[in-house]
């Protein structure tokens, strides 16, 4: 059974269930999350491939092909409407987006496979967060609840606060005991070793045990995928964690509440992901799935949830998603965050920055934001298979190779010694100086992203320059 079926069978039903990777009920076939793409602001809901199944990542790949996508909504699977959307500004921090909203996560930021099927998690850099301040059925006051999440155990920092769980409804720090969330990272309190640790954000404190001191029972996390649990009931709460790919859960803390304002708790029932209760938004992490329950789940149910997560078969996959970058093609790199999606990585001389560039700007401006894809661009690249070269098809072939005198510098090399065929070719029709000058100008154009006369060059293709020179793009043999 899926996690929320297990929680229900234990009498502690899910009142919020969020996952971009899979259904958390065996019967769930509705929308898991919504994407918005950059090219036209169109939106698309992603559902499981089948009831209870893995998300339809192929639909995302198709929808986002050639553009960028943001995760705009993480839907609640319980039917209570506890969806997560872009977090608002709070008492501690404004987000980087318009009106102080936090950023949204990029759709392709956290690719994984579940039993071999591709899916995407929610990759949260600093400044990114989701929230729902008007929820239905989430614990308030001292009421009991359970929270679990599957996270990336290698993506964290020492800032406040990569949280998932119960928080204030006004994004302000309203005092001790007003939050009860999973926290993951190395901020605040600590456990054994150097971290990261699963802790609890109970407001004005990240707790690894009963107080803000170190709790040696809270072990450092070392697995790539982790199951994290925080649960609380009157004057009792627990932290548990385990490897989400194998093994059992470890109880990191189980015992009474902290004393200074945390007993009884004053939970408010908002839900947040990736930020602190007052929108402290300097933390980072990756969320794959999670749920919140009504009632204090039993260890037996949580063990069954852990077994189900293991059975889901989370595994890493290539970080490369979307269209492949092909050596020799010319690309521009655009920012995806909503504040800045008109900005591209550009250079002014040797200085790199992001600049607002559009198709109506001058060629020089557009060239400054265009980049040639090369591979193995290093001092040894000239002899590295896969390196991209331009060569003149005229008899004496000059190759453009990276210079050993400094990164970003090139020189022209006849490469006769490498290529016996060079010795048998006919006389050049133009002087060496003319050919060298032409090569230099073509290199300059390529480095600035000009598509020469017939678009990006591909290995083996030829093109005729206006001046009559013919060029072939090839690997030296
Ligand atoms: O408890 C840690 C953090 O402190 C909370 O998330 C935030 O609201 C406050 O700044």
């Amino acid at each position: 059974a899926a996690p929320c079926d297990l929680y229900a069978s234990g009498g502690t039903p899910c009142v919020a269930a969020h996952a971009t990777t899979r259904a958390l009920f065996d019967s769930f076939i509705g929308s898991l999350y919504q994407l918005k793409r950059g090219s036209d602001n169109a939106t698309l809901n992603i559902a499981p491939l089948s009831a209870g199944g893995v998300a339809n990542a192929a639909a995302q790949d198709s929808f986002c092909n050639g553009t960028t996508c943001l995760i705009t909504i993480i839907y609640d699977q319980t039917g209570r409407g506890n969806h997560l959307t872009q977090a608002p500004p709070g008492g501690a921090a404004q987000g980087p987006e318009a009106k102080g909203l936090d950023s949204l996560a990029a759709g392709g930021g956290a690719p994984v496979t579940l039993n071999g099927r591709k899916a995407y998690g929610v990759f949260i850099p600093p400044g990114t967060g989701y929230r729902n301040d008007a929820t239905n059925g989430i614990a308030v006051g001292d009421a009991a609840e359970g929270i679990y999440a599957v996270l990336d155990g290698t993506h964290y920092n020492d800032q406040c606060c990569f949280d998932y769980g119960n928080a204030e409804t006004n994004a302000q720090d309203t005092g001790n005991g007003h939050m009860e969330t999973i926290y993951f990272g190395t901020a605040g309190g600590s456990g054994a070793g150097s971290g990261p640790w699963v802790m609890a954000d109970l407001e004005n404190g990240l707790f690894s045990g009963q107080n803000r001191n170190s709790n040696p029972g809270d072990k450092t996390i070392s697995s790539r995928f982790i199951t994290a649990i925080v649960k609380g009931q009157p004057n009792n709460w627990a932290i548990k964690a385990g490897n989400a790919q194998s093994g059992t859960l470890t109880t990191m803390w189980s015992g009474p509440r902290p004393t200074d304002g945390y007993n009884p708790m004053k939970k408010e029932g908002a839900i947040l992901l990736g930020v602190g209760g007052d929108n402290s938004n300097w933390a980072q992490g990756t969320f794959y799935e999670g749920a919140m329950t009504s009632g204090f789940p039993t260890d037996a149910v949580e063990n069954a949830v852990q077994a189900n997560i293991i059975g889901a078969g989370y595994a890493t996959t290539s970080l490369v998603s979307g269209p492949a970058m092909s050596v020799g093609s010319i690309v521009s790199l655009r920012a995806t965050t909503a504040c800045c999606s008109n900005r591209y990585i550009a250079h002014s001389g040797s200085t790199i920055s992001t600049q607002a560039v559009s198709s109506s700007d001058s060629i020089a401006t557009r060239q400054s934001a265009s980049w040639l894809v090369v591979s193995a661009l290093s001092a040894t690249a000239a002899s590295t298979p896969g390196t991209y070269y331009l060569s003149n098809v005229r008899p004496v072939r000059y190759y453009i190779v990276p210079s050993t005198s400094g990164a970003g510098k090139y020189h022209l090399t006849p490469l006769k010694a490498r290529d016996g065929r060079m010795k048998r070719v006919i006389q050049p029709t133009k002087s060496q100086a003319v050919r060298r000058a032409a090569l230099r100008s073509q290199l300059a154009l390529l480095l600035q992203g000009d598509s020469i006369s017939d678009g990006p060059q591909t290995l083996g293709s030829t093109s005729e320059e206006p001046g009559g020179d013919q060029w072939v793009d090839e690997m030296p043999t």
Side-chain angles (χ1 to χ4, degrees), residues 160-161 163 168 173 179 201 203-206 276-278 280:
C160 179
C161 289
D163 290 346
E168 292 95 339
D173 176 352
M179 295 179 66
D201 188 346
E203 189 50 279
N204 296 316
L206 301 173
D278 56 7
S280 293

Side-chain angles (χ1 to χ4, degrees), residues 1-6 22-26 52 114-115 148 150 227 244-245 247 289 301-314:
C4 286
D5 297 307
L6 294 166
R22 64 173 182 143
L24 300 181
F25 292 87
D26 282 338
L114 278 71
N115 288 327
Y148 94 91
V150 176
T227 305
Q245 292 178 299
E289 63 175 73
V301 163
E302 288 165 344
N303 291 343
V305 169
Q306 164 71 354
N308 172 272
I309 292 166
I310 293 169
Y314 274 93

Side-chain angles (χ1 to χ4, degrees), residues 229-268:
I229 286 176
V230 167
K231 58 181 173 178
Q233 59 186 346
N235 198 24
N236 176 262
W237 69 289
I239 303 171
K240 297 164 73 172
N243 182 340
Q245 292 178 299
S246 65
T248 55
L249 297 169
T250 299
T251 297
M252 308 292 196
W253 163 256
S254 178
R257 294 284 188 183
T259 51
D260 50 336
Y262 299 91
N263 187 26
M265 293 289 283
K266 301 147 191 97
K267 294 174 236 186
E268 296 190 24

